[in-house]
Structures are given as C-alpha cells and as structure tokens.
Amino acid sequence: MRATGDFVTVKDGEIFFLGRKDSQIKRHGKRLNIELVQQVAEELHQVESCAVTWYNQEKLILFIVSKDDSVKGDILKELQKQLSSHAIPDELVLIAALPFTSHGKIDVSALNKMYLNYINLKSENKLNGKEELWEKLQYLWKSTLSLSEDLLKVPDDSLFLNSGGDSLKAIRLLSEIEKLVGTSIPGLLEIVLSSSILEIYNHICQRVFSDEDLTFRKSYAIKRKLSDMNQEESNGKSLHQQSDMTLNCNDEMNAFVALSRGSQILSLNTARFLTGLGHCSSDLISQSNIEHLKNLNPPACIGKSKDSSCVAEVSEEGKSVMAAEKMELHVRWKSDTCKCVDASPLVVIPASDKSSLSPTVYVGSHSHRMKAIDLYSGKVKWEQTLGDRIESSACVSKCGNFIVVGCYNGIVYVLKSNSGENYWMFATEDAVKSSPTMDPTTGLLYIGSHDQHAYAFDIYEKKCVWKLKCGGAVFSSPCLNMTPHHLYFSTLGGLLLAVNPATGNRIWKHSCGKPLFSSPRCCLEYICIGCVDGNLLCFTHMGEQVWQFSASGPIFSSPCVSASEQEVFFGSHDCCIYCCNMKGHLQWKFETTSRVFATPFAFRNPSGSNEMLLAVASIDGKLWILESQSGRLQSVFELPGEVFSSPVVWESMLIIGCRNDYVYCLDLLSGNKK
C-alpha cells in the first residue's frame, strides 16, 4: 500500500472518496477544500467547466469556461449566495478551455502560467484617462466589499469602513488599485481607511495624472471633516473653551492605578502605598509589584512557559477539545452606548479611601458618546457626547483629574474625570484613532493622528509642546519606555519611529515594508510590534532588529509582554493566539474560531492560586481564558456581537466592548463557585 493523498471515509466495508489532501488549504483563518468551490461553480448554469488553484498559497483563483457571454460579475454574485465568505475566490479568470496533462488531469502548472500572463496583461493595459480610473475604482470598491451589482454608482461620499470594509479588505483594495495603475501609491492605505471614494480617486489622480487639475483638494477635505470649527481653529490649534481654569499638575493629585489593554498598568502618586520597592511617586510599575498596593488585588506577573510544544485547538463548533472548563464567566452588568464599542476600556482604581475618585470604567463608542461607569455596579456616572465616532481608548492624566481621548473629527478631547465636562480640545487635521499615552515623569501626553503627525501636549498649560511628521498615518498608540527614555510610534506607511519624548526629535526609524496597525510594546531590553505581513518583529532600543516570528496571517493585535519579560503574547488573523519567548521561539499557540484583532491581557487567577491566565477575544465575539504557561483552555464565553475591543481584567472582573452596542463587565468564577 502507498499514500495516495486522498481523503476517504469507510462505510460498510466500502471506501468513499471525499477529496484530495492537497486540496485542503487554510484561508482567512478557516479550513477550506478548494474542490468544494469548484463543485459549486460547476453547478452554475453559466459555467461549462472550471478549475480552482491556490496561487502562490495566497490567492484563490477560479478559472471558468463559460457557456455563454456571461460577465464575471454575474458569476461572482451567484457564488456569493452559495459560498461562505472565506470560500469566495479572489479572482475569476475566463478562459477558452481547461489545460490537461498527458494523464488527463487538470494541468495546475499551466493554469498558474495563464494567471501570470493574465495579471501581466492587466498591468500593461494603461488607463485611458481619469474617467476609466473612476469606473474601475467603482468596480474594485463593489467587488472588494461584495456590494450588489445593482448598485450602478457608488456615492461620492461613501466611506470604506462605513460600507462594510475592514483593515484586511482595505489591504486587498490597495493591492488591486496598485495593480490597476501599475505603481505603488504612498499614503493610499490611510486614505482608503479614512476618506471617501471621491477622495481616494483624487489621491490616485494626483500620482497618476499629476499634470491635470483635480476637482478635490486636501484643504477642502480638512474643511469638510472639521466643518463644525472656525477655519483658524482647524489646523492643529487649541480650541478655546468657556472655562478659563488652568491647573498645575501638582494641584489636587490623586493616588490611583490605571489599567488598559495589553496588561498595561500605571501607578500614579502611590509611593506611600508601595512597600520597600523603591518606586517614585509617579511610576510605570510591573504587574508583579502592583500587588503590594494596600487593599488591592491586582493582576500579577506571568511565569515562563514550561511547555514549548502544546498547541491547543478548538473545533469549528467552538467547543474545546481539551479537558472540562475550570472557570465560568457571568455577566455582572452591561451598559448600552447606542452604537458599536470598538474602543478598549480604561479602568481607574483609587489607591486611597479618601480619594475623590472611585473605581471607574471609561469607554467611548461609535455613537460619539464617552461614558464613565462605576466598575462594581455598572451605574453610569456621566456621559458626554463628542463630535464624532470614538475608537480611541482613553488615557488618564498625571493628576487623575482628566481623561484624554481622540475622536474621528480630528479633535483630542480633555474631559474632567469626575464629571465629563470639557476642559480643553485640540484639533489635528484628520481622524484620531490612536490612543494617548502619558509620561508619568513630566505629565505630557502623546498621541498620533491620521494627518501623519505625532503630537505632545501639556494639558495643564493647554498647549501643543511639539509636532512631528511621521511619514504615514498613525493608527496605533504610542509606547513610552523609561530607560532609555524613548517614545515609539508606528505608521500605516510601515515605519517604526523612536522619538525623544521631550523634544520630538527622531532618534531612529525602521521601515517594515508593510502597514503597522499593531501598537509597539516595550520591555527592558526590547520593543515588539506586529505587522500585516504576518511577522512579529523585535528590536533593541537602539533600533537593531533582533528577531522576527512569522504567524500564518496578518497581525493587527498588539503584543502583550509578561511582567517577567520572558514571553510575548499576541493574536493573528490566522485565528491563533501565540506565545513566544524573547528569543523569538514559539512556546505555544491556541487556535480560536475567528480572527483575533484584540490585544491579550495577562492576569492572576482570581481564585487565589498563583496560576497565571490570559484573556483574549476573537472577532466572532468569543472570550478565551487560557493558562498563560501552556495555552490550555480554561473557559470560553460568547458575546452577542463581533468584538474588536480588547479586554481589561481587575480582581475577578473582565471589562470589554462589543459591536452589539454594549460594554460588558463579566465576573470570573472558578468552576467550584457556581
């Protein structure tokens, strides 16, 4: 007997053919038998015969011999009705006849050559002016977003994300546009993600037809986005408020601990609560040290993984294939924000009974609303409506009296933490999706904008301290390292920048070649960041690349570094959660049921044991609780909507946003505490 590569099933002593082993691929994080795509296509009345190839292991190509003069759009529309989204071909190629080998099998090699000639022919066909570009851009827009062909014209003001697009589809559209025009177009990805189809068209025209007059100018785009402001206020200037109050950062200082995504924990003004640790009054502290705070029961550090071979898997039905769950999650409270919650929560815990603060969750949503919610009861303390959608996660000021958050209208808002009242606003020139970072030594706040600049603010003086051109839109959040004192920004242009936090001067930069949606994350020796090419990159603080680890899909998730700084955790669009050591070697990976956009959060088991756990969400709404050392499943809980928000854990409570319009607080209960 020999291995034939066939999948079969045996029933009543007979063998039934299921398909070929080499026809099994993994696409968009899900297993797919490409013969299924072929079978569905062959059943269409327009198709005489067809074949499917997995071109370069990255594109699903359907070759069709048509019975009549059917257009590809009609066939694609029929396929979309019958196939799952992960099974829809990337491209349909009409051919006269299928090629066969001398053994009568489909000649895959010949098909690949045909496709190569096809794409080369497309790139050689120059555009016949802007009118043809507009028509083809509309076609690519509709095909990328799977919009109905009945839609004759895409409205000029259509936004990609509002039309059903996401970051992965934006990259696909970018690739198709650059194939169409035959050249790369700098800055196009950020334009796709933040601008209308008309603005995208004009941006392409500027590169391809630069000698012709355009009907749209950038100045108009800025006016449109900031139409609720006076013109003199719309170009990176402070917006004056009725309140003339100014504060020194030493006035009314509150002692508190702030927790945000990726196990980032900030202790401010808590020196009297720290025992023998030698921390200053304002400090970025590790998860292991924070447990010395009086009357607090916080997350703790993560031990080094002992099992480097474990790969935990979950079946397509979402049930663990491992042992029974050891933890249960129950909804403690949920709060309606009226639209999607993609922002991650900020949790602020007072470190003194005399503090004017109380344990509070701060989070914004697509409804333009910023909310402050009591951590324990879920009662809304205050709600403030801002000028546009909020995807930026909030940051707390050094004194604890203010919350800072970015907004789609390009404004950075500074709100009073106890009331939500506007204290100060600063206008950038494009959407702010980046989350601010605060320097505990100076009180300065840093943030990036889609206007391709990074900013430093002194909110007490109500002024911009410096502004830096970054060479690409800044989607992710800046990361501050104390020693050396560096500030890191990443851009959709693929640049990782190290900046002097005091002056804004660039220290070094590295081009990763592909867009960076992931936020950089620092530890004592290194800085890590994920890239859409599927690589997790590790650098020294001097800019030298140490290693890279390759996942099987794009990485939008930001890294989470253990407090021991021996491991880094992250998710990928290949549906897996990874744990690597600081040499870039895989410790374990866990397969979820959907893409992972969220950032993991590491914490101590609230049952009182020393077990270290990891919380992470997949896009399909599932929350996964894993053992951080082995990757073994502890519990899974499904929220009633997609999740792009990242979890934050305090004591036995997990807080996260959901696209069903709610922010949730879940109780983490051990299996014997039902």
Side-chain angles (χ1 to χ4, degrees):
M1 297 183 68
R2 64 183 180 87
T4 64
D6 295 323
F7 280 119
V8 300
T9 185
V10 180
K11 292 181 181 179
D12 301 325
E14 292 185 298
I15 296 176
F16 294 86
F17 176 74
L18 296 177
R20 292 282 303 164
K21 182 178 180 180
D22 51 18
S23 297
Q24 294 279 331
I25 64 171
K26 193 167 186 180
R27 184 167 183 256
H28 297 173
K30 295 185 179 181
R31 291 182 181 87
L32 172 66
N33 189 324
I34 61 175
E35 290 182 352
L36 169 67
V37 180
Q38 182 172 325
Q39 290 169 10
V40 171
E42 285 175 340
E43 292 174 0
L44 300 180
H45 66 86
Q46 305 102 318
V47 176
E48 180 176 308
S49 59
C50 65
V52 181
T53 65
W54 183 227
Y55 184 76
N56 285 346
Q57 295 189 334
E58 61 181 25
K59 295 189 77 173
L60 192 65
I61 311 301
L62 175 60
F63 296 86
I64 293 174
V65 179
S66 178
K67 288 182 179 178
D68 46 37
D69 296 329
S70 298
V71 296
K72 290 191 289 185
D74 295 334
I75 298 173
L76 183 61
K77 189 174 180 180
E78 289 298 319
L79 290 173
Q80 289 170 343
K81 293 178 182 178
Q82 301 185 44
L83 291 171
S84 302
S85 58
H86 73 284
I88 303 297
D90 291 299
E91 195 146 14
L92 274 62
V93 180
L94 296 176
I95 57 177
L98 291 174
F100 292 92
T101 66
S102 58
H103 299 290
K105 295 185 177 181
I106 296 291
D107 191 338
V108 175
S109 177
L111 286 174
N112 287 337
K113 288 179 181 178
M114 292 169 72
Y115 180 66
L116 185 60
N117 292 334
Y118 170 77
I119 57 177
N120 287 338
L121 184 63
K122 279 175 58 176
S123 63
E124 290 172 4
N125 290 335
K126 292 186 177 181
L127 288 167
N128 296 318
K130 293 192 294 182
E131 201 169 302
E132 185 180 358
L133 170 63
W134 178 245
E135 291 175 0
K136 291 191 174 182
L137 178 61
Q138 295 241 338
Y139 169 76
L140 292 176
W141 183 280
K142 288 187 282 188
S143 61
T144 302
L145 296 171
S146 300
L147 299 179
S148 171
E149 289 295 323
D150 295 336
L151 180 64
L152 297 178
K153 181 179 182 296
V154 179
D156 292 354
D157 59 354
S158 293
L159 297 173
F160 188 77
L161 294 177
N162 289 353
S163 302
D166 56 32
S167 303
L168 206 56
K169 290 179 181 177
I171 294 171
R172 180 179 169 187
L173 178 62
L174 170 68
S175 175
E176 293 298 325
I177 291 172
E178 291 186 339
K179 280 184 198 172
L180 174 66
V181 300
T183 184
S184 61
I185 302 177
L188 181 57
L189 181 61
E190 45 263 46
I191 296 294
V192 169
L193 288 168
S194 62
S195 305
S196 69
I197 188 172
L198 180 61
E199 293 169 279
I200 297 168
Y201 164 74
N202 279 286
H203 183 80
I204 300 168
C205 284
Q206 285 180 318
R207 303 302 187 275
V208 181
F209 308 106
S210 56
D211 57 331
E212 298 182 34
D213 291 332
L214 300 178
T215 59
F216 185 93
R217 296 295 177 188
K218 185 177 179 182
S219 60
Y220 171 74
I222 296 170
K223 288 179 184 178
R224 182 183 61 81
K225 290 175 185 174
L226 305 176
S227 58
D228 56 334
M229 308 174 198
N230 295 328
Q231 179 58 34
E232 65 270 15
E233 296 172 336
S234 65
N235 293 303
K237 295 188 178 182
S238 169
L239 304 186
H240 301 289
Q241 303 300 296
Q242 291 181 353
S243 171
D244 293 324
M245 177 186 70
T246 58
L247 270 181
N248 184 287
C249 68
N250 294 318
D251 294 341
E252 301 179 35
M253 300 290 276
N254 292 285
F256 62 89
V257 175
L259 299 94
S260 54
R261 63 180 181 174
S263 302
Q264 296 184 87
I265 300 176
L266 179 68
S267 171
L268 271 296
N269 320 312
T270 56
R272 63 186 181 278
F273 295 97
L274 298 175
T275 307
L277 296 176
H279 288 287
C280 62
S281 60
S282 299
D283 203 0
L284 290 162
I285 68 174
S286 73
Q287 299 169 54
S288 55
N289 290 337
I290 199 173
E291 63 186 281
H292 293 273
L293 284 169
K294 288 187 178 180
N295 302 319
L296 299 179
N297 179 25
C301 67
I302 300 167
K304 187 174 182 180
S305 173
K306 296 178 182 177
D307 184 357
S308 61
S309 61
C310 174
V311 179
E313 293 190 356
V314 173
S315 69
E316 291 184 4
E317 291 76 26
K319 296 180 181 178
S320 171
V321 299
M322 309 200 66
E325 297 173 6
K326 301 177 183 177
M327 179 175 288
E328 291 186 0
L329 284 77
H330 296 281
V331 176
R332 182 186 186 96
W333 53 258
K334 63 179 182 178
S335 184
D336 188 3
T337 70
C338 298
K339 278 196 177 178
C340 301
V341 184
D342 284 347
S344 301
L346 167 71
V347 178
V348 178
I349 309 294
S352 169
D353 294 336
K354 298 179 181 179
S355 173
S356 60
L357 301 173
S358 61
T360 304
V361 176
Y362 298 95
V363 69
S365 87
H366 289 199
S367 66
H368 307 187
R369 301 179 186 186
M370 187 72 196
K371 298 182 79 169
I373 307 166
D374 184 270
L375 172 61
Y376 293 105
S377 68
K379 181 180 178 181
V380 177
K381 295 183 175 183
W382 55 257
E383 182 179 294
Q384 177 70 271
T385 300
L386 306 185
D388 207 333
R389 179 191 301 188
I390 305 166
E391 286 188 10
S392 168
S393 300
C395 173
V396 66
S397 66
K398 181 177 180 178
C399 63
N401 293 312
F402 303 102
I403 296 298
V404 184
V405 68
C407 189
Y408 257 57
N409 63 355
I411 298 177
V412 180
Y413 290 85
V414 182
L415 310 174
K416 294 183 183 179
S417 58
N418 62 353
S419 65
E421 179 187 343
N422 265 329
Y423 170 69
W424 184 53
M425 296 191 295
F426 182 90
T428 71
E429 296 182 25
D430 209 332
V432 179
K433 304 177 187 179
S434 171
S435 301
T437 294
M438 191 271 293
D439 187 338
T441 61
T442 64
L444 293 181
L445 285 120
Y446 310 101
I447 200 167
S449 169
H450 268 59
D451 68 6
Q452 303 192 16
H453 288 89
Y455 295 86
F457 303 117
D458 184 334
I459 64 171
Y460 303 102
E461 296 291 332
K462 296 185 177 181
K463 67 179 183 181
C464 178
V465 177
W466 54 256
K467 174 182 177 181
L468 174 68
K469 181 78 172 179
C470 293
V474 182
F475 173 90
S476 59
S477 304
C479 177
L480 180 71
N481 190 71
M482 303 307 291
T483 307
H485 200 203
H486 287 180
L487 182 66
Y488 297 99
F489 288 91
S490 59
T491 77
L492 297 185
L495 292 179
L496 176 63
L497 307 171
V499 176
N500 184 320
T503 64
N505 293 331
R506 186 182 294 121
I507 300 170
W508 57 261
K509 69 177 180 179
H510 177 90
S511 177
C512 299
K514 294 289 184 180
L516 298 171
F517 287 87
S518 169
S519 297
R521 187 68 195 275
C522 300
C523 60
L524 186 62
E525 294 185 54
Y526 304 117
I527 177 167
C528 297
I529 190 167
C531 184
V532 299
D533 65 3
N535 287 313
L536 182 76
L537 306 171
C538 179
F539 301 86
T540 68
H541 289 292
M542 294 300 105
E544 178 186 357
Q545 185 172 331
V546 183
W547 52 261
Q548 71 178 41
F549 173 85
S550 296
S552 300
I555 300 173
F556 291 82
S557 168
S558 300
C560 168
V561 178
S562 68
S564 65
E565 302 195 346
Q566 298 299 312
E567 297 89 26
V568 57
F569 309 97
F570 64 96
S572 168
H573 273 44
D574 64 8
C575 302
C576 289
I577 303 161
Y578 291 85
C579 172
C580 293
N581 64 21
M582 279 304 172
K583 293 183 179 180
H585 299 146
L586 179 68
Q587 299 294 93
W588 54 259
K589 76 174 182 178
F590 178 89
E591 186 176 353
T592 73
T593 52
S594 184
R595 294 173 293 164
V596 179
F597 185 91
T599 299
F601 194 99
F603 64 102
R604 182 190 294 275
N605 191 327
S607 66
S609 70
N610 289 323
E611 184 180 37
M612 308 307 165
L613 303 176
L614 195 72
V616 69
S618 50
I619 287 178
D620 60 359
K622 290 190 177 72
L623 283 169
W624 308 87
I625 308 297
L626 311 175
E627 294 177 7
S628 68
Q629 292 186 342
S630 65
R632 291 189 177 91
L633 181 67
Q634 279 267 345
S635 185
V636 59
F637 181 91
E638 186 167 5
L639 292 168
E642 290 187 328
V643 172
F644 287 80
S645 173
S646 299
V648 171
V649 178
W650 175 257
E651 294 179 340
S652 61
M653 292 169 287
L654 183 152
I655 306 94
I656 193 167
C658 182
R659 282 199 163 181
N660 73 333
D661 304 348
Y662 284 84
V663 57
Y664 285 83
C665 179
L666 304 172
D667 283 322
L668 304 171
L669 305 174
S670 60
N672 57 4
K673 292 183 180 180
K674 296 180 180 179

